[in-house]
Amino acid sequence: MKKILLAAFVAVASLTANAQIWVGGELGYNVERESNDGTTTYKEHEFTFAPEIGYKLNDKFDVAVALNFSHDDDEYREEGDTHTYSNNSFSINPYIRYSFYKAGKFSAFVDGGFKYGFTHYCGDDENRINWGINVRPGIAYALTEKVGLVAHVGKVGWDYSKKDENKTNEFGFNIYNNISFGAYVNF
């Protein structure tokens, strides 16, 4: 029994000796305004915070999980009345990263994962449940051996959401409005 435990310990130690843990994430802020004849009819402010932690298995594969938090304030005018609402969203996104190209400090990768979360609309008791399966291509640049930058461009996937009896299914390939930037630190 001692030999089996010792062999298991050596196997786990050898796997983790070359492994690398990294932390990082993305911050985002978006402002949108619409106007009609010089009068603002709609404005939106959205803040996003998405920390993540990953584990480098080898030169090609990482496993990671990202937590996404966002807050959104909206205001629109209709027939002289101003309406405001806000919502908070949370999701957890475990994924696998496959790095398929490396040239110097640059690398190209694709992240494939699952997303599950909810959106709470302030003043409403019912949350919108969200989940999906997505693939996101990206590039990375190593500033130093410990610090790097990442960018995701686009996504391919399926997203589903449900609130009360309202359901939304979305499948698509999207490049133009799915660009994000982040940084990470290797330990």
Side-chain angles (χ1 to χ4, degrees):
M1 181 68 168
K2 289 180 184 179
K3 289 181 183 181
I4 292 173
L5 290 175
L6 182 61
F9 176 76
V10 169
V12 169
S14 66
L15 285 174
T16 59
N18 294 328
Q20 197 170 34
I21 295 175
W22 52 268
V23 295
E26 299 174 351
L27 287 174
Y29 182 71
N30 185 53
V31 177
E32 181 181 339
R33 293 184 190 273
E34 293 179 12
S35 61
N36 185 3
D37 292 330
T39 302
T40 300
T41 56
Y42 175 79
K43 62 182 174 180
E44 173 186 31
H45 296 272
E46 181 181 24
F47 173 76
T48 303
F49 174 60
E52 58 187 83
I53 185 167
Y55 187 80
K56 188 167 209 49
L57 297 173
N58 56 42
D59 288 342
K60 297 282 186 187
F61 288 98
D62 296 345
V63 292
V65 63
L67 301 174
N68 296 315
F69 305 93
S70 68
H71 176 76
D72 190 3
D73 287 317
D74 297 335
E75 179 181 300
Y76 67 94
R77 293 189 180 163
E78 185 176 61
E79 298 176 7
D81 291 333
T82 300
H83 305 277
T84 60
Y85 62 94
S86 63
N87 63 65
N88 296 302
S89 297
F90 169 78
S91 67
I92 185 167
N93 310 79
Y95 66 89
I96 295 173
R97 174 170 292 168
Y98 173 65
S99 299
F100 58 88
Y101 178 76
K102 185 167 182 153
K105 293 185 173 195
F106 284 96
S107 62
F109 61 85
V110 64
D111 291 346
F114 175 77
K115 171 181 77 171
Y116 178 78
F118 65 89
T119 301
H120 174 73
Y121 299 93
C122 296
D124 191 350
D125 291 337
E126 187 74 26
N127 291 330
R128 176 174 292 281
I129 303 300
N130 310 299
W131 65 279
I133 299 170
N134 291 286
V135 174
R136 297 185 67 201
I139 57 172
Y141 179 76
L143 294 173
T144 68
E145 195 173 303
K146 297 285 186 186
V147 179
L149 302 174
V150 295
H152 288 93
V153 182
K155 77 173 186 175
V156 175
W158 176 61
D159 292 298
Y160 171 83
S161 66
K162 180 181 186 287
K163 181 177 186 284
D164 298 322
E165 296 304 315
N166 298 321
K167 299 175 185 175
T168 304
N169 282 294
E170 178 184 344
F171 177 79
F173 173 75
N174 190 340
I175 291 180
Y176 63 91
N177 68 353
N178 248 318
I179 300 171
S180 62
F181 300 95
Y184 62 89
V185 176
N186 293 311
F187 292 101

